[in-house]
């Protein structure tokens, strides 16, 4: 009996597995979470999982690739904005919201740890990281060219500073149980605003 | 034959072992570096090491405690300054220099990783972290009271933002081989200056 594969159904199933795996990895870590648990949570058999992902590492790679695609889509939309200063601030606001999301922050740390251990995951994570930085730099450069922020601020250095701030939020969440990124968001956004010196508001 | 112990010599020897161990740990990691290597580098026998440190963990604890003492001494001196804004900027400058120091950055990451694994080291590291943040907040509060920086900036939130920036520098060093904190120092200090709005210069 031939098995017919509906591509849309296959993609939807694959995505459902990714979502379930993200939650499992965030809560238990990549190495502590077993594929059996992922299968149970996704309601499929271990044999069926193999049709979607040949290994746990393939699931991890899919998660990292998907993050990259989501970042690209985010910046595609942001670049269409009229006020690129507002788009930069919107990005920072979202990044600090994500740092405050326990599951997202845990998953980010798991990816960083796995990137240090596994060169393939490392390359994927490094590409995401470089892409994000480049896209943020592009927004800052556009904002400066349009006279929306201080044109004297080199976009590359400004992008580095703002990503340092975001990285710092994720890093503090991991090491300091009393740190609440949501409570620091106002001050962090003020810091960014004063740094960028938007020309049309103050 | 009784062994006479000269306390000053004992302290000097202990300190020499700590220095050698810091270099070994930074290069190989806590778990990869053996006490045999530390002994060889320090020019003492494994039996002699035991007179100074009962275990590798005791060396790690001594390193973390010493960092705490160095931070306290740094801020003791900074608080005596007339220009507390300049002291805050001096601290940031030093922290970003340290992030650019490969050995120091590696050792910092090793301590963070060990703090996550070992509750005793975790408590020591968390205390250092909280002390540093509190001392920086004290400097910022003093600077605001003296009218040296924007008095409308809550010292607690400003301290959080600036430590996020420093944490971010250490975190990026670890994950991005192309990141050069020394090259970002100028922009990061500009960011801090614009954020703090020093009143007596601009």
């Amino acid at each position: 009996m031939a098995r017919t594969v509906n591509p849309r159904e296959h993609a939807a199933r694959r995505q459902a597995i990714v979502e379930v795996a993200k939650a499992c990895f965030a809560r238990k870590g990549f190495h502590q979470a077993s594929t059996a648990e992922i299968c149970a949570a996704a309601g499929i058999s271990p044999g069926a999982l193999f049709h979607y992902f040949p290994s746990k590492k393939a699931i991890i790679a899919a998660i990292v690739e998907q993050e990259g695609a989501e970042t690209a889509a985010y910046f595609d939309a942001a670049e269409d904005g009229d006020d690129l200063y507002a788009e930069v601030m919107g990005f920072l606001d979202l990044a600090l919201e994500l740092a405050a999301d326990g599951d997202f922050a845990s998953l980010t740390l798991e990816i960083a740890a796995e990137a240090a251990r596994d060169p393939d995951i490392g390359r994927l994570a490094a590409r995401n990281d470089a892409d994000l930085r480049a896209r943020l730099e592009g927004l800052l450069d556009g904002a400066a060219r349009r006279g929306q922020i201080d044109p004297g601020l080199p976009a590359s250095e400004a992008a580095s500073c703002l990503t340092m701030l975001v990285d710092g939020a994720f890093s503090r969440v991991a090491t300091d149980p009393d740190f609440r990124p949501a409570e620091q968001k106002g001050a962090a956004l003020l810091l960014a605003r004063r740094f960028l010196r938007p020309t049309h508001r103050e």
Side-chain angles (χ1 to χ4, degrees), chain A:
Chain A
M1 206 169 68
R3 199 189 185 113
T4 55
V5 175
N6 174 334
R8 194 178 298 177
E9 207 175 284
H10 185 88
R13 209 65 187 280
R14 203 173 179 276
Q15 187 54 32
I17 295 166
V18 165
E19 292 304 327
V20 158
K22 279 163 78 171
C24 286
F25 292 152
R27 254 173 279 128
K28 304 194 74 175
F30 281 147
H31 291 274
Q32 286 69 46
S34 67
T35 48
E37 282 173 80
I38 295 168
C39 290
I44 57 169
S45 71
L49 179 66
F50 194 77
H51 289 293
Y52 300 94
F53 296 101
S55 64
K56 193 156 79 172
K57 177 169 162 175
I59 308 180
I60 299 169
I63 292 172
V64 180
E65 280 174 343
Q66 196 164 306
E67 273 201 359
E70 285 166 5
T71 300
Y74 181 88
F75 281 102
D76 284 344
E79 282 165 9
D80 286 340
D82 289 324
D83 181 349
L84 297 185
Y85 162 71
E87 297 294 344
V88 169
M89 297 301 278
F91 164 75
L92 281 180
D93 191 297
L94 174 65
L96 295 166
E97 284 287 335
L98 289 172
D101 172 335
D103 267 13
F104 190 92
S106 297
L107 192 64
T108 300
L109 284 167
E110 283 299 316
I111 291 171
E114 194 61 17
R117 284 185 293 251
D118 185 311
D120 296 324
I121 304 298
R123 268 186 293 274
L124 289 175
R127 197 180 59 194
N128 282 0
D129 201 52
D131 284 350
L132 185 149
R133 215 196 141 290
R135 298 298 293 265
L136 181 61
E137 183 178 332
L139 275 191
L140 287 161
D141 188 49
R145 282 168 191 274
R146 294 185 194 180
Q148 294 169 341
I149 60 168
D150 175 6
L153 215 50
S156 164
E157 290 176 24
S160 285
C161 280
L162 297 182
T163 47
M164 258 160 72
L165 198 67
V166 171
D167 286 348
F170 278 95
S171 157
R172 269 201 100 69
V173 166
T175 55
D176 178 358
D178 297 328
F179 181 68
R180 301 274 172 277
E183 290 169 17
Q184 305 306 331
K185 218 176 63 172
L189 292 176
L190 175 65
L191 174 119
R193 182 159 69 82
R194 289 187 173 183
F195 179 46
L196 299 175
R197 292 197 166 154
T199 45
H200 56 308
R201 58 184 103 182
E202 186 69 16

